[in-house]
Structure formats: C-alpha cells, structure tokens
Amino acid sequence: MAKESVVDALYEKVANDEDARTCTDISEDACREVPGNFFRIIAANTLTKVGDLLINPKTVLAWLISAVGAPGSLAALLVPIRESGSLIPQLMIGALVRRYPVRKGFWVLGAALQGLSVLGMALVVWLLDGLAAGWGIVGLLVLFSISRGFCSVSMKDVQGKCIPKSRRGRLTGLSATLSGALTFGLTLLIFRGDSDPSVLFYSALLAGAGAAWLVAALVFLSVDEYPGASEGGNNALREAWNSLSLLKDDAPFRRFVITRALLMASSLASPFLVLLAKEQSSLALLLGSFVLASSLASAVSATVWGYMADSSSRTVMVRGGALAALVCVVAGAVSVSGVQTEGMHWLYPVAFFILAIAHAGVRIGRKTYMVDMAGGTKRTDYTAVSNTVIGVLLLAVGGISAAVALLGNDWALLVLGTMGAMGVVSARLLSEV
C-alpha cells in the first residue's frame, strides 16, 4: 500500500492535476491502474530509447562498419533498413495484432527480439571482421527493424487503452527526456579521450544496449492492460489490404498521412548536416559532438514538447516542422554561398542540435495526434497503415534526396527544407483533436 501511495503521489505531481485519476476515454478498471502503468510504460520506453541512441545507425553502427573493416558502402544500407524495415511490414503486423484483445505481449515480443538482435551484433563485432562482420550487422539490423514493427503497432494501442488522452504527450516527452539525459552522460564517457573507442568497447556497448531491451520487455510485461476491442478476419493479408481503404474513405486520416510524409524532412536532413561537417573536418570529437547534440536535444526539449502536445498536438507539429525547415534552408544556403571561416565546421553540430529539437517536436506531435484522433481498433489500423505508407515513401524520398545530393549535400538540404515547409502548411490545415 505504501508503494502504491508513493506512485499515486508522484503521478499526481507529474499529471499536474488534483485528481490524477480523472479519465474520460478509458475504462473504469483501466483508470484505477493509470499511475502504475504510467511509470511502467515510461521505464520501458526509456530503456528502449537509450538502446536506440546507443546504436544509432547514423553514428555508432556506421562507425562499427568501418571499425570491423567492412566496405563503407554497407553503411549506406543502415538508415533505410532501420527505418523502412520497421515501417513497411506494419500493415501485416497490424492486421495480426488487431485480432487480440490484449496486445502488450506483441510489444514484449518485439522488444525481446530487438534485444537479441543487438546482442547478436555484439557477438559479430567480437568474433568476425571484414565483409562477414559487415553483412552480419546488416542482417541482424533487418531482424531488429522488423521486430521494432511489433512494438510500434502495439505500443500506441496499449497506451491508448491504459493512459488518459490528456496525459499521453507528457508520457512520451518524459521518457524521451530521461533517455536523452542518460545517453548524454554515456556519450561523454565514450568521447572523453583523444582517440576513437576500440572494437571491444563497441562490443560492450552493444551488449549493454541489448540488455536494455530485454529488461524493457520484462518491465512492459507487468503493465496492467484490460481487454479491448478485437476485430479481424482469419486472413491477415486480406485484412491488411482492406485497411488501406482508410486512405480513400477517411479524409482526416488521409490529410494526416500527407502531413506526416512531408514532415519526414526533419529526419532525412540529419545525415546531410553530418556530411557537410565531415567535408571540412574528420575529427573524431566532431563526430562525437553530433551524438551529444542528439542526446541533449531529447533531454532539454522532449518533455516541453510533450506537455505542449497535450494542449494541441497539431500546433506542436507546426512549430517543430517550421523550425526544422528553417534549419535546413539556412544551413543549405550558407553552404551554397561558399562562406568559409575558421571553425565553420562546428556550426553544423549546432544546426544538428536545433534540428534534433525540431524533429522531437514533429515526432511527439504526430504520435500524440494520431493516438488522440482514433479510438478502439481504429488506433491500430491508423498506426499500421500510416507507418507502412511512410516506410515506402521513406525509401522513395531517400532515393530522391540521395540523387539531389549528387549536386551537393547543401542542395539536398534546400530541397528537404522546402518539403518541410510544405508540411507545415499541411499541418496548419489539420483539425484539432
């Protein structure tokens, strides 16, 4: 009882409400479990986000490909696999998940498989080298990404059933802030010396990240989820195909997917800032500064964005998207202009930091918006359809931006900045939820 009282009191402070158990869109039974579930989900999210930041394909995994002596061309496969590999299968995954009234088990399964995949990477780095090690990392990343799809589909539904509408944004924000702060401290340890970390260190780092996912799976298993709506035929493929009709028949959802697609610019632009900096300096410390910037951005902004999203997730998407578009256009314009000053390369980690803050807003805003705009089984369908569509578009837009980058990384930033600005206009036209 004393433990429950502490949890209830802490939840009331976080919820900033005299009656922290006031619920309007979840069941009476689920309402009683809100305080405990709130912190269990935060703990699980924090652990997985720490793992995500520690094996970021834009930084750590790319360095690993080089460290094991694999061809650098393999590094180009990491980001597309990491993103689209988890998004595209979600249409099928969603059709399967929606048939079960209790869905936390799918998240537990996905987290456990991700943890095992990362532990496998640690073993590959330790035992293999060269091309074999490189392909081993890429192959395990495929399994990791597909497993992530189970977590993505089921998390939004479990969260929608267990957490009241007005508290979901701050849950996402708090977990991102905690994970950002933890990873910021870990990154400072990694780059405390004058040389790059050894392969042994990266093996240990991957093993630690894998363990974080396994612990997260155990934590999430303790979430008290009550049965909800379950629909779906016996053929998952048919159900998946039928759910695509949402894009035609559900106008608000279609507008949201279009907006989300345009706001992808906030995530696709990050590698080009890194490449622009690398063109001017190859300092290991400079590369580490990007990892620090990403962690610090989550720590200082995610909770703020989360609280704002509880008031208006649409406004958060607009503000985050506008800031991202501005960074892309300004950074691209400065590079195109040819301005060269001493220490110019250090401006790019600053731009990366601002872009990471903006992307956190876009991400939290659109996640909160989608959970709030749907209910019951629709929430799972919305997640699966939108993520699958975005996964396909990521490959397409990624290919286009890569082609534009042949003219220069700065021109790719300008194109993505324009795309992001269009996303801001589209977000302003969305209805409030």
Side-chain angles (χ1 to χ4, degrees):
M1 293 297 292
K3 182 179 180 181
E4 291 182 2
S5 298
V6 172
V7 171
D8 291 347
L10 184 57
Y11 177 74
E12 288 181 13
K13 292 182 181 297
V14 172
N16 193 26
D17 196 325
E18 292 182 1
D19 184 4
R21 295 187 177 186
T22 298
C23 309
T24 58
D25 62 333
I26 62 176
S27 69
E28 181 96 13
D29 291 334
C31 187
R32 287 194 295 270
E33 306 297 337
V34 166
N37 283 338
F38 185 86
F39 291 110
R40 292 184 192 105
I41 294 175
I42 280 185
N45 273 344
T46 298
L47 286 166
T48 58
K49 288 180 184 297
V50 167
D52 277 334
L53 289 169
L54 290 179
I55 65 160
N56 190 330
K58 301 172 186 175
T59 53
V60 177
L61 288 188
W63 298 341
L64 274 176
I65 290 291
S66 175
V68 298
S73 57
L74 285 181
L77 301 175
L78 297 175
V79 174
I81 289 175
R82 164 65 176 74
E83 298 298 333
S84 296
S86 65
L87 293 176
I88 292 175
Q90 288 190 23
L91 199 59
M92 284 290 295
I93 292 172
L96 173 65
V97 170
R98 73 198 294 267
R99 289 189 284 172
Y100 292 84
V102 176
R103 297 163 185 175
K104 68 178 183 180
F106 288 99
W107 196 96
V108 173
L109 173 65
L113 289 175
Q114 287 178 87
L116 293 174
S117 299
V118 177
L119 289 176
M121 291 181 193
L123 198 60
V124 164
V125 170
W126 179 249
L127 297 177
L128 303 177
D129 56 23
L131 186 62
W135 279 115
I137 292 172
V138 170
L140 286 165
L141 185 61
V142 172
L143 174 60
F144 174 92
S145 299
I146 294 173
S147 303
R148 186 180 181 84
F150 284 95
C151 291
S152 181
V153 170
S154 56
M155 170 57 83
K156 292 179 179 64
D157 196 65
V158 173
Q159 183 177 318
K161 291 163 62 181
C162 297
I163 306 299
K165 178 178 287 191
S166 60
R167 299 296 177 260
R168 295 165 190 160
R170 66 196 65 188
L171 183 150
T172 304
L174 283 170
S175 60
T177 294
L178 288 172
S179 60
L182 287 172
T183 311
F184 181 77
L186 290 173
T187 307
L188 287 176
L189 291 176
I190 291 173
F191 292 98
R192 66 186 186 279
D194 296 329
S195 59
D196 290 335
S198 65
V199 172
L200 172 62
F201 182 87
Y202 279 121
S203 296
L205 188 67
L206 287 170
W213 263 289
L214 295 179
V215 174
L218 291 175
V219 171
F220 204 82
L221 191 60
S222 66
V223 169
D224 292 313
E225 178 193 1
Y226 286 86
S230 61
E231 297 175 7
N234 296 322
N235 190 312
L237 180 60
R238 185 174 64 248
E239 291 298 324
W241 181 258
N242 290 340
S243 64
L244 279 175
S245 63
L246 284 170
L247 292 171
K248 176 183 177 182
D249 302 330
D250 193 328
F253 175 65
R254 182 173 62 249
R255 288 193 292 268
F256 167 77
V257 172
I258 292 172
T259 300
R260 181 182 174 186
L262 292 170
L263 292 177
M264 287 191 307
S266 65
S267 62
L268 292 174
S270 298
F272 296 108
L273 287 174
V274 176
L275 292 173
L276 284 176
K278 190 176 180 182
E279 288 175 1
Q280 301 184 29
S281 175
S282 59
L283 290 173
L285 181 61
L286 179 62
L287 192 54
S289 68
F290 284 99
V291 183
L292 286 172
S294 179
S295 302
L296 184 60
S298 294
V300 302
S301 69
T303 297
V304 177
W305 286 124
Y307 275 77
M308 291 172 61
D310 284 336
S311 297
S312 173
S313 51
R314 181 185 70 89
T315 300
V316 168
M317 284 192 287
V318 169
R319 292 175 178 175
L323 183 59
L326 181 63
V327 170
C328 292
V329 171
V330 171
V334 168
S335 181
V336 168
S337 68
V339 175
Q340 294 290 336
T341 59
E342 186 176 353
M344 180 76 168
H345 51 277
W346 288 107
L347 294 177
Y348 293 111
V350 175
F352 186 95
F353 173 70
I354 299 173
L355 181 62
I357 289 177
H359 178 60
V362 170
R363 193 165 181 266
I364 289 174
R366 56 100 172 160
K367 280 175 176 278
T368 306
Y369 189 94
M370 187 168 63
V371 173
D372 287 350
M373 77 184 293
T377 300
K378 256 191 175 181
R379 189 177 289 118
T380 304
D381 291 341
Y382 277 11
T383 301
V385 173
S386 65
N387 283 349
T388 300
V389 171
I390 293 300
V392 174
L393 291 178
L394 268 171
L395 292 177
V397 177
I400 293 172
S401 59
V404 175
L406 294 176
L407 301 175
N409 295 312
D410 38 19
W411 285 103
L413 280 174
L414 290 173
V415 170
L416 290 171
T418 303
M419 175 180 162
M422 295 169 61
V424 172
V425 175
S426 181
R428 285 183 60 86
L429 297 176
L430 293 176
S431 301
E432 288 284 3
V433 293

mmCIF file of all heavy atoms in Angstrom, residues 104-133:
data_model
loop_
_atom_site.group_PDB
_atom_site.id
_atom_site.type_symbol
_atom_site.label_atom_id
_atom_site.label_comp_id
_atom_site.label_asym_id
_atom_site.label_seq_id
_atom_site.Cartn_x
_atom_site.Cartn_y
_atom_site.Cartn_z
ATOM 1 N N LYS A 104 -0.245 -6.253 -25.194
ATOM 2 C CA LYS A 104 1.078 -5.939 -24.656
ATOM 3 C C LYS A 104 2.093 -7.030 -24.983
ATOM 4 O O LYS A 104 3.301 -6.762 -25.081
ATOM 5 C CB LYS A 104 1.004 -5.722 -23.152
ATOM 6 C CG LYS A 104 0.679 -6.971 -22.338
ATOM 7 C CD LYS A 104 0.676 -6.680 -20.848
ATOM 8 C CE LYS A 104 0.411 -7.950 -20.026
ATOM 9 N NZ LYS A 104 0.421 -7.657 -18.576
ATOM 10 N N GLY A 105 1.622 -8.263 -25.175
ATOM 11 C CA GLY A 105 2.532 -9.361 -25.497
ATOM 12 C C GLY A 105 3.289 -9.145 -26.793
ATOM 13 O O GLY A 105 4.437 -9.594 -26.931
ATOM 14 N N PHE A 106 2.679 -8.449 -27.746
ATOM 15 C CA PHE A 106 3.364 -8.169 -29.010
ATOM 16 C C PHE A 106 4.520 -7.190 -28.790
ATOM 17 O O PHE A 106 5.556 -7.291 -29.435
ATOM 18 C CB PHE A 106 2.372 -7.616 -30.038
ATOM 19 C CG PHE A 106 1.414 -8.648 -30.555
ATOM 20 C CD1 PHE A 106 0.130 -8.742 -30.045
ATOM 21 C CD2 PHE A 106 1.806 -9.542 -31.531
ATOM 22 C CE1 PHE A 106 -0.756 -9.702 -30.512
ATOM 23 C CE2 PHE A 106 0.935 -10.512 -32.012
ATOM 24 C CZ PHE A 106 -0.359 -10.598 -31.492
ATOM 25 N N TRP A 107 4.304 -6.229 -27.883
ATOM 26 C CA TRP A 107 5.394 -5.293 -27.570
ATOM 27 C C TRP A 107 6.534 -6.031 -26.884
ATOM 28 O O TRP A 107 7.709 -5.803 -27.189
ATOM 29 C CB TRP A 107 4.883 -4.160 -26.678
ATOM 30 C CG TRP A 107 5.806 -2.982 -26.629
ATOM 31 C CD1 TRP A 107 5.737 -1.838 -27.377
ATOM 32 C CD2 TRP A 107 6.965 -2.824 -25.792
ATOM 33 N NE1 TRP A 107 6.778 -0.983 -27.064
ATOM 34 C CE2 TRP A 107 7.542 -1.569 -26.094
ATOM 35 C CE3 TRP A 107 7.565 -3.619 -24.822
ATOM 36 C CZ2 TRP A 107 8.688 -1.091 -25.455
ATOM 37 C CZ3 TRP A 107 8.719 -3.150 -24.187
ATOM 38 C CH2 TRP A 107 9.262 -1.905 -24.504
ATOM 39 N N VAL A 108 6.197 -6.906 -25.945
ATOM 40 C CA VAL A 108 7.211 -7.687 -25.232
ATOM 41 C C VAL A 108 8.012 -8.539 -26.219
ATOM 42 O O VAL A 108 9.251 -8.601 -26.154
ATOM 43 C CB VAL A 108 6.544 -8.574 -24.161
ATOM 44 C CG1 VAL A 108 7.572 -9.519 -23.544
ATOM 45 C CG2 VAL A 108 5.903 -7.713 -23.074
ATOM 46 N N LEU A 109 7.306 -9.185 -27.160
ATOM 47 C CA LEU A 109 7.975 -9.998 -28.169
ATOM 48 C C LEU A 109 8.923 -9.151 -29.015
ATOM 49 O O LEU A 109 10.081 -9.524 -29.247
ATOM 50 C CB LEU A 109 6.933 -10.679 -29.064
ATOM 51 C CG LEU A 109 7.479 -11.443 -30.282
ATOM 52 C CD1 LEU A 109 8.323 -12.628 -29.833
ATOM 53 C CD2 LEU A 109 6.330 -11.909 -31.183
ATOM 54 N N GLY A 110 8.433 -8.000 -29.483
ATOM 55 C CA GLY A 110 9.258 -7.129 -30.314
ATOM 56 C C GLY A 110 10.495 -6.631 -29.579
ATOM 57 O O GLY A 110 11.607 -6.618 -30.140
ATOM 58 N N ALA A 111 10.332 -6.235 -28.318
ATOM 59 C CA ALA A 111 11.472 -5.730 -27.537
ATOM 60 C C ALA A 111 12.497 -6.833 -27.296
ATOM 61 O O ALA A 111 13.717 -6.602 -27.384
ATOM 62 C CB ALA A 111 10.977 -5.153 -26.214
ATOM 63 N N ALA A 112 12.016 -8.040 -26.979
ATOM 64 C CA ALA A 112 12.927 -9.159 -26.732
ATOM 65 C C ALA A 112 13.734 -9.499 -27.987
ATOM 66 O O ALA A 112 14.949 -9.725 -27.921
ATOM 67 C CB ALA A 112 12.143 -10.374 -26.250
ATOM 68 N N LEU A 113 13.068 -9.517 -29.150
ATOM 69 C CA LEU A 113 13.772 -9.816 -30.400
ATOM 70 C C LEU A 113 14.777 -8.729 -30.755
ATOM 71 O O LEU A 113 15.863 -9.016 -31.281
ATOM 72 C CB LEU A 113 12.764 -10.001 -31.538
ATOM 73 C CG LEU A 113 11.918 -11.282 -31.493
ATOM 74 C CD1 LEU A 113 10.881 -11.282 -32.607
ATOM 75 C CD2 LEU A 113 12.806 -12.513 -31.592
ATOM 76 N N GLN A 114 14.430 -7.472 -30.473
ATOM 77 C CA GLN A 114 15.386 -6.390 -30.705
ATOM 78 C C GLN A 114 16.613 -6.554 -29.817
ATOM 79 O O GLN A 114 17.753 -6.364 -30.258
ATOM 80 C CB GLN A 114 14.720 -5.035 -30.437
ATOM 81 C CG GLN A 114 13.727 -4.621 -31.513
ATOM 82 C CD GLN A 114 13.057 -3.305 -31.194
ATOM 83 O OE1 GLN A 114 13.557 -2.237 -31.508
ATOM 84 N NE2 GLN A 114 11.897 -3.373 -30.543
ATOM 85 N N GLY A 115 16.373 -6.895 -28.551
ATOM 86 C CA GLY A 115 17.497 -7.103 -27.650
ATOM 87 C C GLY A 115 18.402 -8.231 -28.109
ATOM 88 O O GLY A 115 19.635 -8.106 -28.098
ATOM 89 N N LEU A 116 17.814 -9.341 -28.543
ATOM 90 C CA LEU A 116 18.602 -10.468 -29.032
ATOM 91 C C LEU A 116 19.363 -10.108 -30.304
ATOM 92 O O LEU A 116 20.500 -10.557 -30.515
ATOM 93 C CB LEU A 116 17.688 -11.674 -29.278
ATOM 94 C CG LEU A 116 17.061 -12.303 -28.022
ATOM 95 C CD1 LEU A 116 16.072 -13.401 -28.413
ATOM 96 C CD2 LEU A 116 18.138 -12.855 -27.097
ATOM 97 N N SER A 117 18.744 -9.281 -31.164
ATOM 98 C CA SER A 117 19.423 -8.847 -32.396
ATOM 99 C C SER A 117 20.665 -8.030 -32.075
ATOM 100 O O SER A 117 21.733 -8.219 -32.680
ATOM 101 C CB SER A 117 18.466 -8.017 -33.259
ATOM 102 O OG SER A 117 17.338 -8.762 -33.635
ATOM 103 N N VAL A 118 20.531 -7.110 -31.119
ATOM 104 C CA VAL A 118 21.674 -6.256 -30.757
ATOM 105 C C VAL A 118 22.764 -7.076 -30.062
ATOM 106 O O VAL A 118 23.955 -6.856 -30.291
ATOM 107 C CB VAL A 118 21.202 -5.090 -29.859
ATOM 108 C CG1 VAL A 118 22.385 -4.242 -29.421
ATOM 109 C CG2 VAL A 118 20.200 -4.226 -30.616
ATOM 110 N N LEU A 119 22.369 -8.037 -29.212
ATOM 111 C CA LEU A 119 23.366 -8.923 -28.602
ATOM 112 C C LEU A 119 24.087 -9.724 -29.679
ATOM 113 O O LEU A 119 25.299 -9.980 -29.579
ATOM 114 C CB LEU A 119 22.684 -9.863 -27.606
ATOM 115 C CG LEU A 119 22.172 -9.227 -26.306
ATOM 116 C CD1 LEU A 119 21.434 -10.266 -25.475
ATOM 117 C CD2 LEU A 119 23.317 -8.625 -25.501
ATOM 118 N N GLY A 120 23.341 -10.109 -30.733
ATOM 119 C CA GLY A 120 23.967 -10.797 -31.856
ATOM 120 C C GLY A 120 24.992 -9.922 -32.558
ATOM 121 O O GLY A 120 26.065 -10.389 -32.969
ATOM 122 N N MET A 121 24.675 -8.615 -32.697
ATOM 123 C CA MET A 121 25.640 -7.679 -33.293
ATOM 124 C C MET A 121 26.911 -7.601 -32.458
ATOM 125 O O MET A 121 28.029 -7.551 -32.991
ATOM 126 C CB MET A 121 25.014 -6.283 -33.406
ATOM 127 C CG MET A 121 23.909 -6.161 -34.426
ATOM 128 S SD MET A 121 23.285 -4.460 -34.475
ATOM 129 C CE MET A 121 21.780 -4.683 -35.408
ATOM 130 N N ALA A 122 26.753 -7.574 -31.141
ATOM 131 C CA ALA A 122 27.922 -7.526 -30.257
ATOM 132 C C ALA A 122 28.801 -8.753 -30.484
ATOM 133 O O ALA A 122 30.037 -8.660 -30.522
ATOM 134 C CB ALA A 122 27.470 -7.448 -28.805
ATOM 135 N N LEU A 123 28.165 -9.915 -30.656
ATOM 136 C CA LEU A 123 28.912 -11.153 -30.893
ATOM 137 C C LEU A 123 29.607 -11.121 -32.247
ATOM 138 O O LEU A 123 30.765 -11.553 -32.381
ATOM 139 C CB LEU A 123 27.945 -12.342 -30.824
ATOM 140 C CG LEU A 123 28.554 -13.730 -30.620
ATOM 141 C CD1 LEU A 123 29.336 -13.785 -29.317
ATOM 142 C CD2 LEU A 123 27.465 -14.795 -30.640
ATOM 143 N N VAL A 124 28.919 -10.590 -33.258
ATOM 144 C CA VAL A 124 29.507 -10.479 -34.599
ATOM 145 C C VAL A 124 30.741 -9.584 -34.570
ATOM 146 O O VAL A 124 31.795 -9.927 -35.135
ATOM 147 C CB VAL A 124 28.457 -9.930 -35.594
ATOM 148 C CG1 VAL A 124 29.131 -9.444 -36.876
ATOM 149 C CG2 VAL A 124 27.427 -10.993 -35.928
ATOM 150 N N VAL A 125 30.630 -8.431 -33.907
ATOM 151 C CA VAL A 125 31.749 -7.490 -33.838
ATOM 152 C C VAL A 125 32.936 -8.121 -33.110
ATOM 153 O O VAL A 125 34.096 -7.886 -33.456
ATOM 154 C CB VAL A 125 31.306 -6.189 -33.129
ATOM 155 C CG1 VAL A 125 32.492 -5.294 -32.836
ATOM 156 C CG2 VAL A 125 30.300 -5.446 -34.000
ATOM 157 N N TRP A 126 32.643 -8.930 -32.098
ATOM 158 C CA TRP A 126 33.701 -9.531 -31.297
ATOM 159 C C TRP A 126 34.395 -10.682 -32.025
ATOM 160 O O TRP A 126 35.621 -10.831 -31.927
ATOM 161 C CB TRP A 126 33.110 -10.033 -29.981
ATOM 162 C CG TRP A 126 34.099 -10.696 -29.072
ATOM 163 C CD1 TRP A 126 34.162 -12.022 -28.748
ATOM 164 C CD2 TRP A 126 35.179 -10.071 -28.376
ATOM 165 N NE1 TRP A 126 35.211 -12.265 -27.898
ATOM 166 C CE2 TRP A 126 35.852 -11.084 -27.642
ATOM 167 C CE3 TRP A 126 35.639 -8.766 -28.298
ATOM 168 C CZ2 TRP A 126 36.957 -10.819 -26.846
ATOM 169 C CZ3 TRP A 126 36.752 -8.495 -27.505
ATOM 170 C CH2 TRP A 126 37.392 -9.506 -26.795
ATOM 171 N N LEU A 127 33.617 -11.480 -32.807
ATOM 172 C CA LEU A 127 34.170 -12.695 -33.400
ATOM 173 C C LEU A 127 34.584 -12.549 -34.859
ATOM 174 O O LEU A 127 35.452 -13.293 -35.331
ATOM 175 C CB LEU A 127 33.146 -13.838 -33.287
ATOM 176 C CG LEU A 127 32.761 -14.281 -31.865
ATOM 177 C CD1 LEU A 127 31.701 -15.366 -31.928
ATOM 178 C CD2 LEU A 127 33.997 -14.769 -31.113
ATOM 179 N N LEU A 128 33.951 -11.633 -35.607
ATOM 180 C CA LEU A 128 34.197 -11.535 -37.040
ATOM 181 C C LEU A 128 34.826 -10.203 -37.406
ATOM 182 O O LEU A 128 34.859 -9.266 -36.602
ATOM 183 C CB LEU A 128 32.875 -11.713 -37.812
ATOM 184 C CG LEU A 128 32.095 -13.010 -37.560
ATOM 185 C CD1 LEU A 128 30.780 -12.988 -38.335
ATOM 186 C CD2 LEU A 128 32.922 -14.225 -37.941
ATOM 187 N N ASP A 129 35.288 -10.120 -38.630
ATOM 188 C CA ASP A 129 35.772 -8.844 -39.153
ATOM 189 C C ASP A 129 35.571 -8.822 -40.662
ATOM 190 O O ASP A 129 35.152 -9.805 -41.269
ATOM 191 C CB ASP A 129 37.244 -8.597 -38.791
ATOM 192 C CG ASP A 129 38.158 -9.721 -39.272
ATOM 193 O OD1 ASP A 129 37.778 -10.441 -40.221
ATOM 194 O OD2 ASP A 129 39.247 -9.882 -38.704
ATOM 195 N N GLY A 130 35.838 -7.674 -41.248
ATOM 196 C CA GLY A 130 35.730 -7.524 -42.688
ATOM 197 C C GLY A 130 34.306 -7.626 -43.199
ATOM 198 O O GLY A 130 33.336 -7.281 -42.509
ATOM 199 N N LEU A 131 34.161 -8.159 -44.414
ATOM 200 C CA LEU A 131 32.863 -8.228 -45.075
ATOM 201 C C LEU A 131 31.873 -9.104 -44.304
ATOM 202 O O LEU A 131 30.683 -8.785 -44.220
ATOM 203 C CB LEU A 131 33.045 -8.770 -46.496
ATOM 204 C CG LEU A 131 31.809 -8.773 -47.393
ATOM 205 C CD1 LEU A 131 31.305 -7.349 -47.617
ATOM 206 C CD2 LEU A 131 32.129 -9.437 -48.739
ATOM 207 N N ALA A 132 32.352 -10.193 -43.718
ATOM 208 C CA ALA A 132 31.459 -11.093 -42.966
ATOM 209 C C ALA A 132 30.827 -10.367 -41.786
ATOM 210 O O ALA A 132 29.626 -10.503 -41.524
ATOM 211 C CB ALA A 132 32.239 -12.309 -42.476
ATOM 212 N N ALA A 133 31.623 -9.578 -41.076
ATOM 213 C CA ALA A 133 31.098 -8.824 -39.942
ATOM 214 C C ALA A 133 30.109 -7.768 -40.410
ATOM 215 O O ALA A 133 29.059 -7.550 -39.787
ATOM 216 C CB ALA A 133 32.237 -8.167 -39.172
#
